[in-house]
Amino acid sequence: MQPIDLRGVCCPTNFVKAKLAIEMADVGDVIEFYLDDGEPVQSVSRSLKGEGHKLLSLKKADGYYVLEVEVA
Amino acid sequence: MTQNSGKTTIDLKNLKAGGFIKELGKDLFTVRLRVPGGRMSIEKLKKIAKVAEKYGSEGVHLSVRQSIELIHINFKDFDAVVEELAEVGQEVASCGPRLRVPVACGGCEYNPNGLMDTQQAALEVDRELFGSMTGHHKFKVGFSGCPHDCPKAAINDVGFVGAVRPEWNGENCLTCGLCSGACREGAIVPGEDQRPVFLAENCLYCGDCVKLCPAEAWHVLKKGYAVYAGGKWGRRPMVGTLIATFLPADQVVPIIREILSWYQEQAEGMGRIRLGEVLLQKGIESLLDRLRTTFPNSVKLETTAPTVIDRQIRGLNSAEC
Ligand code: SF4
Ligand code: SF4
Ligand code: SF4
């Protein structure tokens, strides 16, 4: 699946977009999300975990974060 | 204790704890309602709306401390207002030199940041201590669920902020980097093999790492309230000082009781004075010593005095005022 670029998207729109992307995927798919530093990376990651998805990794890229999530 | 002037009958015991505040207009009062933690059932809300419509004006006022205030109530209607509100268990708040209705944020029930059940704590303090006479001045208590501290706990006489002390267990760690990426305080940095290193001196005890870690490698070592004493706002603001850490929820009422009794004793003969100013004059160590016997695991070894906030409005030069 293509990475989902949520840079420049505010909370909670970024999370809602992430949820919509996950709805299109199958269980076990791995999706990458690009997230801004600060509140977005914090709260989107936590909310996805809270909904039962598996967070695989978070890597710092140039000015943003790449979050890897396995759909549950 | 009913007072009858021949024309008007008022039950004076309703007025005992205050909560009836004189307005500008003749015979008119604001009636401040008791809403601990700002939480209210729909049943009460509906009743309040009915009472406000019947005895008040076109609206109500939401106070800065989470109370609903009925405005423009004629004092002749006090008994009726109290009686009708009592049908749903709604009471009137307090004013004067008493412990006020505690304020609290939503806490941890549904707020993703929340660490402690502030609503529960506010209800308990309200039940046990509401209206306690201080003998000196008002006494405010507030609760924040986490270090975001939306309710600004430290500007209460006693303020509580939920906190978590995280601990890392290397065995479970997947070296995914989530915690070091997400900690906003720089308290977790990637070390050798990308394994997280905890820099305790930077930690704010927000618990984000525990909530985020997919492998439960971060867990809660300690959880409780950070306690601040001596705060106030108003004409001469002060920010309260940290006196205890990770205080368990069941110690909240006991510690307030103890602080209150220190305040009652120490402020004897000082007139109408808030806790913070007593702390400045008598020294914070006196309070810490007193609390240490009962709360040995939570009270800080040492701390600073409450911070006086100088808003620089005094001493304006003639061109400025
Ligand atoms: S203090 Fe924390 S728990 Fe309370 S409302 Fe703010 S963010 Fe939520
Ligand atoms: S509790 Fe908060 S500040 Fe402390 S290490 Fe965890 S995320 Fe960082
Ligand atoms: S979030 Fe958990 S699993 Fe990931 S690096 Fe930190 S401690 Fe290890």
Side-chain angles (χ1 to χ4, degrees):
Chain A
M1 207 167 160
Q2 285 277 76
I4 311 293
D5 189 351
L6 298 174
R7 286 174 294 176
V9 184
C10 311
C11 299
T13 312
N14 45 17
F15 174 62
V16 174
K17 285 193 158 187
K19 290 255 313 168
L20 293 175
I22 282 174
E23 267 185 21
M24 304 299 292
D26 295 319
V27 173
D29 282 0
V30 174
I31 310 180
E32 276 186 354
F33 296 97
Y34 296 172
L35 293 164
D36 289 323
D37 196 0
E39 203 193 336
V41 65
Q42 239 293 316
S43 74
V44 172
S45 310
R46 192 173 63 194
S47 301
L48 290 176
K49 185 191 170 196
E51 303 225 329
H53 304 294
K54 196 167 168 197
L55 309 184
L56 299 177
S57 73
L58 184 72
K59 302 229 153 55
K60 207 170 170 118
D62 190 17
Y64 63 100
Y65 281 93
V66 180
L67 175 72
E68 228 186 354
V69 178
E70 185 183 315
V71 177
Chain B
M1 199 193 355
T2 302
Q3 192 91 350
N4 190 334
S5 70
K7 277 201 290 190
T8 307
T9 313
I10 301 267
D11 188 346
L12 294 181
K13 87 171 171 340
N14 287 339
L15 308 183
K16 230 176 77 190
F20 299 85
I21 303 143
K22 184 73 189 80
E23 292 181 5
L24 284 175
K26 181 171 184 294
D27 294 345
L28 295 183
F29 284 75
T30 290
V31 180
R32 180 182 292 159
L33 302 183
R34 183 171 169 187
V35 189
R39 190 69 60 85
M40 161 149 302
S41 70
I42 290 167
E43 188 197 17
K44 285 185 179 175
L45 197 53
K46 283 182 177 164
K47 180 57 125 188
I48 290 166
K50 282 208 182 102
V51 171
E53 196 171 37
K54 191 162 163 193
Y55 300 104
S57 66
E58 67 289 342
V60 297
H61 179 76
L62 299 181
S63 84
V64 290
R65 283 184 67 85
Q66 304 183 306
S67 162
I68 294 181
E69 292 176 342
L70 306 177
I71 51 176
H72 310 339
I73 302 289
N74 192 298
F75 80 102
K76 290 176 186 163
D77 294 326
F78 281 177
D79 288 1
V81 165
V82 167
E83 202 173 294
E84 288 182 34
L85 291 172
E87 287 167 20
V88 292
Q90 179 60 55
E91 293 179 16
V92 173
S94 66
C95 52
R98 297 180 178 81
L99 190 133
R100 304 297 180 84
V101 179
V103 296
C105 71
C108 64
E109 293 162 272
Y110 52 82
N111 185 319
N113 292 319
L115 301 171
M116 295 294 284
D117 193 345
T118 55
Q119 287 292 315
Q120 169 70 29
L123 281 179
E124 224 172 280
V125 170
D126 183 68
R127 192 176 59 234
E128 302 285 329
L129 300 171
F130 166 76
S132 303
M133 291 298 290
T134 67
H136 311 294
H137 210 318
K138 65 181 94 169
F139 196 91
K140 295 180 178 177
V141 175
F143 295 91
S144 296
C146 80
H148 280 264
D149 194 12
C150 305
K152 305 170 191 69
I155 58 172
N156 287 271
D157 294 271
V158 186
F160 296 84
V161 179
V164 150
R165 164 71 164 87
E167 191 182 53
W168 186 68
N169 169 0
E171 272 171 38
N172 299 349
C173 180
L174 312 167
T175 63
C176 67
L178 273 157
C179 56
S180 51
C183 173
R184 284 169 269 190
E185 307 304 325
I188 305 177
V189 293
E192 271 174 60
D193 321 330
Q194 295 305 300
R195 286 159 101 62
V197 175
F198 181 50
L199 304 175
E201 65 276 19
N202 290 344
C203 182
L204 212 64
Y205 309 114
C206 67
D208 283 350
C209 47
V210 178
K211 291 187 179 187
L212 197 58
C213 174
E216 321 297 332
W218 285 102
H219 66 268
V220 173
L221 180 66
K222 276 197 217 167
K223 184 158 136 167
Y225 286 109
V227 187
Y228 296 84
K232 67 199 270 299
W233 214 247
R235 298 168 68 107
R236 280 172 283 145
M238 289 165 75
V239 175
T241 186
L242 182 65
I243 56 164
T245 51
F246 305 109
L247 185 86
D250 63 2
Q251 309 266 286
V252 164
V253 168
I255 206 168
I256 297 173
R257 272 214 177 94
E258 203 62 29
I259 296 170
L260 203 51
S261 90
W262 181 90
Y263 170 49
Q264 283 161 338
E265 281 167 37
Q266 297 292 319
E268 199 56 54
M270 294 169 100
R272 192 167 169 272
I273 186 169
R274 288 285 286 274
L275 174 65
E277 285 169 6
V278 181
L279 286 171
L280 286 187
Q281 292 187 33
K282 302 268 167 152
I284 187 79
E285 286 72 26
S286 162
L287 177 64
L288 292 188
D289 280 346
R290 170 74 164 264
L291 298 175
R292 208 165 272 131
T293 32
T294 326
F295 311 94
N297 301 323
S298 310
V299 171
K300 287 204 76 199
L301 296 177
E302 53 185 340
T303 194
T304 51
T307 314
V308 174
I309 306 294
D310 183 356
R311 283 189 291 198
Q312 299 175 300
I313 193 72
R314 280 175 226 271
L316 296 182
N317 69 38
S318 55
E320 292 168 324
C321 58

